[in-house]
Amino acid sequence: MVETRPSKIDGKGCFALRKIPARKKIGNLKGEIISLRKARKLASAKGRIAIVEFGDGRALNATFFEDTMKYINHSCSPNTYMRIAFSRVEFYALKKIKKGEELTCDYGPTHHDGKLKCQCGSPACKGFL
Ligand SMILES: [Zn+2]
């Protein structure tokens, strides 16, 4: 349903191979469950990370997994949303997604603490993440 391609937003992105109806499940983020402590340590080290915190002292670390889903970039006007349930991170279409469109998600608070300039290009862009 999706593939990895270079993104105008940042590095690589996740793109729809066909149109995806609103509310459809796109997939789960592949990763290993780690402690929040280890997640924060990885976040403070240099380099790209793909970590989702569960809010219960654990996190899903997708950094070392080759998974298209982890390339979903942040946008202030996203077309997908992330749902955390039963120690899984699931992505769903927030609205109808066209074939070839880049999939984006609102990350919410990040380890960048609002200091990273947002590149999403949306008219509703909040500026930083
Ligand atoms: Zn933005």
Side-chain angles (χ1 to χ4, degrees):
M1 197 184 328
V2 292
E3 69 169 1
T4 310
R5 267 191 243 160
S7 164
K8 281 197 195 87
I9 299 174
D10 182 49
K12 290 176 184 171
C14 176
F15 291 81
L17 281 173
R18 56 178 174 82
K19 63 177 181 202
I20 303 170
R23 291 183 298 279
K24 180 157 177 73
K25 186 178 175 184
I26 298 160
N28 293 330
L29 185 65
K30 289 187 195 77
E32 49 159 359
I33 293 179
I34 58 172
S35 69
L36 187 59
R37 207 168 141 235
K38 195 174 170 197
R40 293 279 162 91
K41 215 170 144 190
L42 282 166
S44 64
K46 262 193 164 173
R48 280 174 187 278
I49 54 153
I51 295 173
V52 178
E53 292 181 6
F54 289 145
D56 64 356
R58 298 172 310 143
L60 188 78
N61 180 17
T63 306
F64 309 116
F65 285 73
E66 199 41 60
D67 180 14
T68 304
M69 224 58 73
K70 79 170 179 183
Y71 295 113
I72 295 180
N73 278 311
H74 166 85
S75 172
C76 301
S77 306
N79 55 16
T80 77
Y81 66 95
M82 202 190 288
R83 200 180 83 130
I84 296 168
F86 309 109
S87 302
R88 281 195 296 264
V89 176
E90 310 169 325
F91 284 96
Y92 292 84
L94 194 57
K95 47 189 168 192
K96 235 194 292 173
I97 299 171
K98 287 192 260 325
K99 183 181 171 184
E101 202 178 321
E102 177 166 6
L103 271 58
T104 55
C105 175
D106 187 344
Y107 287 180
T110 71
H111 69 282
H112 302 297
D113 289 324
K115 293 185 195 87
L116 184 72
K117 201 171 183 312
C118 184
Q119 308 280 357
C120 80
S122 156
C125 183
K126 296 178 191 87
F128 291 88
L129 64 143

